[in-house]
Amino acid sequence: MISSAASAGSGQGGPTPRLVERRTVLEHAAELADRAQQGQGGLLLLTGPTGVGRSALLDALAGSPAARLMTVLRANCAADEADHPYAAAHQLTGAGREFGPGPDGVASWDLLREHAVRRPLLLLVDDVQYADAPSARWLGQLVRRLDRLPVLLVVTERRQPGRTARTPGFGQDLPAAVVHPYRIAPLTRGGVAELIESRLGGPAPDDLVDDCHRATGGTPLLLHALLAALLPDLGGTGHPLGDNPGGAFQDAVGHWLRTAGEPVATAARVLAQLADHPTGGIDLPTLAGDSTGRVAEWLRGLRALGMVQDGSTGRLDDYAHPWLRTAVLAGWSQERRAEVHRDLATLLYGRGESEELVADHLLRTEVCGTEWAADVLIGAARAAQRAGRTKRAVRLLRRALREPLTRHRRGTVLVELGCQEVTLGPPESVTGTRHLAEAVRLHQSDETVFEAANALGSVLAGRGETAAALEVMEDLAERFADRPELARAVHAAAALIASHDGDSWLQVVEGLRRIEARTPGGLAPAAFGMLTEYDATNGRLSAAEVAVRIDQLTTLSPDNFSRSFVNASVATLAQWADLLPLADRLVAGGLAAHRGTPLHPAYQCLLSVRAESRIMRGQYALLLAELNSSEDHRGVLALNNSHLTSQAVIALLETGRGPEARRLAAAAVAETPIGSEGSWEWNELLYARGLLMLATGHFAEALADLLECGRRQTERKVTSPIVTPWRSAAADCRLRLGQFGAAAELATEELRLARIWNTPRTIGRALHVLGAATGGRQGLSAAVEAVELLRADGLEVELIPALHTLGRLLLGSGRRAAARETLRESVAHAERIGAVRLVALGTDLLRESGARPVKQPQTGAQALTASEQRVCRLAAEGHSNPEIAELLHLALRTVETHLTNSFRKLGIRRRAEIAARMAEQPDSGSA
């Protein structure tokens, strides 16, 4: 490449430009010129791909010292002259058409010979691949006579990768003695640096050199254009790195591609378009439709130049620099780019590749129009939904709507799409509501309309528009007047939706009472279950009486549409009655069997039951994992279930992640729609926030939340402590504020209601709070009774605070040894369930009792040593003891000892329990 620096020289031509990395060929040309001046002519054939600097070399030779001693004649062949006989020969000899050569080119030959007699000749022919056929033959004849003439013929020929086997090159059949071929190579990195330094007038930054070399492969044409775009002001000290270096480079790349031929140009653009996308192992020649081998050869050439690098498994190679990729794609229409993805999707589908892979490419097309495209997109969306990738599921379903769909199928897709969109929050949730409404309006099957209306009703109720939601369900009930089973299911769904508003819920209950009074055979199972829920929370039923009703409900055979509502009611009642194994089975079975929208009220109810059951067991880490919450736990909000958010706040609090719990609670309150304050979910949120404020020392704020929760629950006629036991927590707040009488009053009422329900959990909780409020011998007696009751039933979540209360009372009575023993027990239980907050509280109380500080956890997954953790992980994966010993290079006895110690710390007896207990370990890095 010609640089701006010049070597010494003289004569009319001025100084001779210095070429970068071209000294060898220039010296060779000078030697051949000397031989020609002595009467021994020859051919110097310069070959190379587009942009490598062939013409620049001819310019340099024309101005070289050797040329001053010779007559220089030059011809530039062009494609548009290929049909004009002897056009190139006429340029070279200067002969007019009236002296044009005959079939053997005699006239031109005579002219050349006359020139040569007077002075040696330097003949320069550029781009001989464009020469007309007669001129090419004439040049060949000339070469055969050069050894007898003082003539040096220098010919340049473009030879592209992938085109050499297609057309024989110039000089292929000429005498080897007079032909001197030289292939011009692109610049090395050093040459690129030298050229940039000549432009800058100083040292070139390494990053600029590397970028330019990878983007151009050292091709001078591309390099000059790139520098023109990057360094418009010569002498600059830096360079503007970006994704697109400018139009000059794009123009040069466009010329570079055009000269490569259409198959290669197409392949280059396909490569640029698909570089970031998996292709399932389909290679570039196949994608570009080339079976000649030209594309493969071109690709090998670019890889050798460093312009293309190997791609990852299942992907094409990639351009080594984004500048080149961007320039290659410039000017290619979006329609043409989309065609590449459509064609690849068709190939992948025909090969039986995964729906996800095929869908990746369909997403980048407007419409495919084939029967299978919608199937693939919908299937991939459902897989994304199962994997928790909601945004991807939404993209896929939106794209599926652009394919031709039947009316029925369009409605189904709209329901699925709307249900996913509403979980993403504004503005997607607004779009989701519209899609659900559109699905309801479409005249589809009754079953599909039922699913759509259920989802729409849930969304509206969640946004505080309970009246609008009930109106949707009322219209649906009228439509199903002649289908009793569907009508009953609609009424059940409406009842669940009505619970979002206190007044509406009480009206539903009164309606159920009237139906019950005039129905000899009793209520339908779904209605009976919901009325039982109300009576349980209203304090009309005990846990034993509810257990009887559970048995009744489980023996009934509800219709297919109502079954999910009955299952949800029974699971809820079982959880309240501390029949947690039964609740677990019902939840697991209901979630697994569910095939409709995730916004179905019964489905959401099952999620709530599962979450609260986790809290009741102290399975905080497991709950958070199931909610799939992100780092700041806003992912919980996306589930469109405020009750789950409340449970997540409690789980974060108990695992020692108070700041995260506060952020989640604040976000939940901020995003609660206006009009939703009358819902039971809002009361749950008030209760959870009250617990959070209480635990973090904001006693007045906690009391305000808890009393407001109680007021609202009372308005809904929810008095039993089986949900939101606000009185116990409020009593604790009053104790911290020094209001002992008011605290005792709340605890006494809580105990009265707890004895109606009559489960150890509710009674034990109320007893220990009453003991703390009462104090003295009577308080100590109540606390002892609470501990014994809770300990006997293994209710650790309630037992730990009861032990704290008992420990405090024992300390107050001077029984420090008994207090320490009690508090150590509390810490052990808290460690086992991963209750970091309670561990810290118990430890503080132990210090007050004069006990030595606990150096490390003694139970739970946190208590395991590093070696024990490694052994447990391998055991959980199914490895036997001998296999573990071999993998860890331990003695078998050592493995057995580690497992024995681990089982004791984890509180388990079987190998199958290891994975679950290890999963409950809280994230210490987030505490």
Side-chain angles (χ1 to χ4, degrees):
M1 200 58 229
I2 303 174
S3 73
S4 58
S7 59
S10 59
Q12 295 180 353
T16 302
R18 179 172 59 85
L19 296 181
V20 174
E21 295 188 334
R22 298 294 184 250
R23 175 179 297 177
T24 300
V25 65
L26 289 175
E27 291 176 349
H28 187 39
E31 293 175 1
L32 293 176
D34 288 342
R35 291 172 57 183
Q37 292 167 17
Q38 297 170 14
Q40 297 180 6
L43 166 67
L44 176 59
L45 179 60
L46 304 175
T47 62
T50 299
V52 81
R54 302 184 313 276
S55 299
L57 269 174
L58 290 190
D59 292 338
L61 290 175
S64 67
R68 300 189 189 103
L69 304 176
M70 306 173 77
T71 298
V72 179
L73 301 177
R74 186 163 184 171
N76 295 315
C77 303
D80 56 2
E81 293 184 349
D83 294 331
H84 298 280
Y86 293 104
H90 290 156
Q91 284 190 61
L92 193 63
T93 62
R97 192 163 295 280
E98 64 273 25
F99 302 109
D104 58 357
V106 173
S108 292
W109 169 251
D110 290 341
L111 286 172
L112 285 176
R113 187 168 52 187
E114 290 175 10
H115 279 303
V117 168
R118 293 193 298 270
R119 195 177 190 200
L121 292 179
L122 176 60
L123 306 181
L124 305 176
V125 180
D126 201 9
D127 282 334
V128 74
Q129 74 276 0
Y130 289 138
D132 59 277
S135 292
R137 287 193 298 271
W138 181 81
L139 287 171
Q141 293 169 0
L142 173 61
V143 172
R144 292 184 176 89
R145 303 173 183 178
L146 283 178
D147 60 342
R148 293 167 288 171
L149 293 173
V151 176
L152 173 61
L153 174 61
V154 182
V155 172
T156 72
E157 182 179 30
R158 184 176 67 221
R159 293 186 181 177
Q160 296 289 102
R163 295 179 70 93
T164 53
R166 184 172 176 229
T167 305
F170 181 79
Q172 187 171 338
D173 299 325
L174 297 176
V178 295
V179 178
H180 303 274
Y182 188 92
R183 181 164 181 82
I184 308 172
L187 304 182
T188 64
R189 185 189 182 283
V192 171
E194 184 179 347
L195 182 59
I196 296 174
E197 287 170 356
S198 71
R199 292 289 301 268
L200 289 176
D206 286 340
D207 59 345
L208 175 60
V209 174
D210 290 335
D211 284 327
C212 290
H213 188 240
R214 288 189 293 119
T216 66
T219 302
L221 168 72
L222 303 182
L223 184 56
H224 269 301
L226 182 57
L227 292 177
L230 292 177
L231 304 170
D233 299 321
L234 299 184
T237 57
H239 66 289
L241 296 175
D243 292 335
N244 190 342
F249 183 57
Q250 291 179 1
D251 292 342
V253 171
H255 172 71
W256 177 66
L257 290 176
R258 285 191 296 275
T259 58
E262 183 57 31
V264 168
T266 298
R269 293 186 170 104
V270 169
L271 181 64
Q273 182 63 28
L274 297 178
D276 293 331
H277 307 289
T279 63
I282 299 177
D283 60 18
L284 183 61
T286 302
L287 293 171
D290 176 66
S291 58
T292 65
R294 293 167 58 184
V295 169
E297 185 178 347
W298 168 82
L299 195 59
R300 285 194 296 271
L302 260 62
R303 190 183 288 109
L305 294 176
M307 299 171 76
V308 165
Q309 58 192 8
D310 292 339
S312 56
T313 304
R315 296 175 186 263
L316 297 176
D317 293 343
D318 191 9
Y319 291 101
H321 201 285
W323 288 343
L324 181 56
R325 185 195 308 157
T326 301
V328 167
L329 278 176
W332 223 32
S333 68
Q334 290 297 327
E335 291 77 10
R336 187 66 187 89
R337 298 184 193 190
E339 285 178 13
V340 171
H341 289 284
R342 184 196 62 199
D343 295 343
L344 178 52
T346 303
L347 281 172
L348 293 170
Y349 178 78
R351 289 177 44 169
E353 296 290 344
S354 69
E355 288 180 331
E356 183 173 7
L357 179 55
V358 179
D360 276 340
H361 295 283
L362 290 177
L363 280 174
R364 289 160 179 82
T365 64
E366 281 301 312
V367 63
C368 187
T370 60
E371 294 182 359
W372 52 264
D375 295 337
V376 167
L377 289 162
I378 294 170
R382 288 171 179 167
Q385 178 184 340
R386 289 192 297 271
R389 302 170 64 190
T390 305
K391 290 184 178 180
R392 176 172 172 80
V394 166
R395 286 186 62 209
L396 290 163
L397 290 173
R398 286 176 177 173
R399 172 62 184 81
L401 287 176
R402 298 205 295 267
E403 294 295 331
L405 298 170
T406 65
R407 189 181 188 86
H408 173 78
R409 196 169 198 201
R410 181 175 180 81
T412 302
V413 173
L414 283 169
V415 172
E416 293 187 39
L417 174 58
C419 290
Q420 295 298 311
E421 287 171 326
V422 298
T423 68
L424 296 177
E428 284 83 358
S429 59
V430 177
T431 305
T433 304
R434 292 172 182 164
H435 282 148
L436 290 172
E438 182 183 349
V440 173
R441 287 194 299 270
L442 286 174
H443 295 292
Q444 312 161 60
S445 68
D446 289 345
E447 291 79 1
T448 309
V449 172
F450 175 63
E451 288 291 333
N454 258 334
L456 180 59
S458 295
V459 171
L460 292 173
R463 286 167 43 178
E465 302 174 32
T466 307
L470 291 175
E471 185 177 340
V472 170
M473 304 311 292
E474 184 178 346
D475 292 342
L476 198 61
E478 291 180 4
R479 172 172 175 167
F480 298 151
D482 59 344
R483 296 195 61 181
E485 73 284 1
L486 267 173
R488 286 193 295 269
V490 170
H491 291 144
L496 282 176
I497 288 171
S499 67
H500 287 271
D501 175 74
D503 292 337
S504 298
W505 171 239
L506 293 177
Q507 291 173 17
V508 167
V509 170
E510 290 304 314
L512 292 177
R513 296 277 191 222
R514 290 193 295 271
I515 295 172
E516 184 180 33
R518 64 173 183 262
T519 306
L523 291 170
F528 181 59
M530 290 179 188
L531 196 55
T532 301
E533 290 183 48
Y534 173 80
D535 288 339
T537 58
N538 187 239
R540 297 188 180 192
L541 296 173
S542 68
E545 291 169 323
V546 165
V548 173
R549 294 198 179 190
I550 288 175
D551 288 339
Q552 293 174 345
L553 284 167
T554 54
T555 58
L556 296 174
S557 299
D559 58 76
N560 290 334
F561 295 102
S562 298
R563 181 170 287 108
S564 60
F565 296 102
V566 175
N567 186 67
S569 280
V570 175
T572 300
L573 293 167
Q575 177 229 307
W576 289 343
D578 262 328
L579 304 174
L580 297 186
L582 173 59
D584 290 345
R585 291 196 299 272
L586 292 168
V587 167
L591 294 179
H594 184 74
R595 294 293 179 269
T597 162
L599 294 179
H600 191 292
Y603 183 81
Q604 291 288 309
C605 182
L606 291 175
L607 292 178
S608 292
V609 171
R610 184 178 68 176
E612 194 152 356
S613 294
R614 299 291 186 221
I615 295 295
M616 292 169 70
R617 287 188 172 101
Q619 297 173 333
Y620 308 120
L622 181 56
L623 169 62
L624 293 174
E626 287 173 339
L627 293 179
N628 194 28
S629 49
S630 58
E631 184 177 348
D632 63 355
H633 297 283
R634 286 183 55 80
V636 178
L637 297 174
L639 295 172
N640 201 46
N641 186 320
S642 299
H643 181 252
L644 297 184
T645 304
S646 302
Q647 304 310 301
V649 168
I650 295 172
L652 289 169
L653 171 64
E654 297 303 341
T655 51
R657 297 152 76 172
E660 295 174 66
R662 283 193 292 274
R663 288 197 297 270
L664 177 57
V669 170
E671 298 189 15
T672 297
I674 297 174
S676 296
E677 292 84 356
S679 69
W680 66 270
E681 291 99 330
W682 176 252
N683 295 339
E684 291 278 355
L685 186 56
L686 283 173
Y687 176 69
R689 191 173 67 174
L691 295 182
L692 175 62
M693 294 295 101
L694 172 59
T696 53
H698 299 83
F699 306 128
E701 293 92 333
L703 182 60
D705 274 345
L706 293 166
L707 292 179
E708 179 63 12
C709 172
R711 185 186 69 79
R712 292 176 177 276
Q713 290 288 54
T714 302
E715 286 182 351
R716 293 174 61 91
K717 300 191 184 305
V718 176
T719 58
S720 176
I722 58 176
V723 291
T724 58
W726 60 272
R727 293 179 187 84
S728 294
D732 201 352
C733 289
R734 292 208 182 274
L735 283 174
R736 306 301 178 91
L737 294 169
Q739 303 169 6
F740 299 101
E745 184 179 344
L746 284 168
T748 299
E749 178 63 9
E750 179 94 326
L751 181 58
R752 184 187 72 81
L753 294 168
R755 293 198 186 280
I756 293 174
W757 184 245
N758 199 29
T759 59
R761 185 184 301 275
T762 54
I763 294 175
R765 180 196 302 124
L767 270 173
H768 86 77
V769 174
L770 180 59
T774 305
R777 183 175 299 177
Q778 184 178 355
L780 186 59
S781 176
V784 169
E785 182 183 354
V787 166
E788 291 176 350
L789 188 63
L790 294 167
R791 186 189 285 146
D793 274 59
L795 302 174
E796 287 181 303
V797 170
E798 303 297 341
L799 174 61
I800 296 167
L803 288 168
H804 290 168
T805 298
L806 179 57
R808 288 192 185 98
L809 292 172
L810 289 170
L811 278 176
S813 65
R815 299 166 61 183
R816 305 181 75 82
R820 285 195 289 269
E821 183 179 351
T822 298
L823 294 171
R824 285 195 183 97
E825 182 185 355
S826 77
V827 171
H829 285 294
E831 286 178 351
R832 202 191 74 78
I833 64 174
V836 176
R837 183 185 71 86
L838 295 177
V839 169
L841 182 56
T843 302
D844 289 343
L845 290 171
L846 273 172
R847 289 195 186 98
E848 290 180 24
S849 72
R852 294 179 181 176
V854 180
K855 294 182 179 179
Q856 64 180 27
Q858 300 300 309
T859 61
Q862 293 181 95
L864 299 180
T865 66
S867 297
E868 289 167 349
Q869 288 179 5
R870 286 192 292 270
V871 170
C872 282
R873 279 195 292 269
L874 290 173
E877 292 171 4
H879 294 286
S880 65
N881 288 3
E883 290 172 340
I884 296 172
E886 183 176 354
L887 288 169
L888 298 180
H889 306 290
L890 298 173
L892 179 58
R893 183 168 186 145
T894 302
V895 172
E896 293 169 348
T897 300
H898 281 328
L899 283 175
T900 299
N901 292 336
S902 299
F903 278 30
R904 175 181 53 78
K905 293 177 181 180
L906 295 174
I908 60 177
R909 297 182 179 181
R910 297 189 304 275
R911 212 178 185 91
E913 300 176 62
I914 294 177
R917 292 294 294 119
M918 293 283 286
E920 294 175 7
Q921 179 176 0
D923 184 359
S924 58
S926 303

